[in-house]
Amino acid sequence: MCRNIKTLFNFEPPATEDEIQASALQFVRKLSGFNKPSQANAEAFERAVAEVSTSARRLLASLHTQAPARDRKTEAEKAKERSRLRFG
């Protein structure tokens, strides 16, 4: 799994369009192996990012949970603590 793709479901406030777009971009980069595609592949790359964004948006809108929404600030602090423990 690409470590740069963050969980977007069940947060308050909900994921923004920029966050969804960024996760789609990371996913397509990982699949294609391109950080920046050549001109010959740019159209296919951008189309893939748009399609993944649309699918991600649709997925997030259709998911349901009984769990309370997570707080972004609290989750970021937990991630920093895990990183500190892991890397020192």
Side-chain angles (χ1 to χ4, degrees):
M1 173 97 186
C2 183
R3 287 182 239 149
N4 292 332
I5 299 174
K6 307 295 184 210
T7 301
L8 299 178
F9 176 62
N10 198 28
F11 277 99
E12 192 56 47
T16 65
E17 188 60 35
D18 287 342
E19 290 172 317
I20 293 170
Q21 183 75 14
S23 70
L25 178 60
Q26 285 297 323
F27 182 74
V28 172
R29 283 178 174 168
K30 186 71 167 184
L31 285 177
S32 68
F34 300 140
N35 190 33
K36 183 177 181 204
S38 65
Q39 285 183 329
N41 293 315
E43 184 180 333
F45 187 90
E46 293 302 321
R47 185 174 53 250
V49 171
E51 290 173 1
V52 171
S53 292
T54 299
S55 293
R57 205 175 303 105
R58 191 172 30 242
L59 172 66
L60 291 172
S62 66
L63 294 174
H64 302 283
T65 184
Q66 297 297 320
R70 295 176 283 179
D71 180 76
R72 290 179 185 280
K73 192 173 186 179
T74 302
E75 294 300 318
E77 289 171 6
K78 288 180 189 178
K80 284 181 186 176
E81 180 61 19
R82 283 191 305 270
S83 178
R84 187 188 66 74
L85 292 173
R86 183 175 177 193
F87 299 111

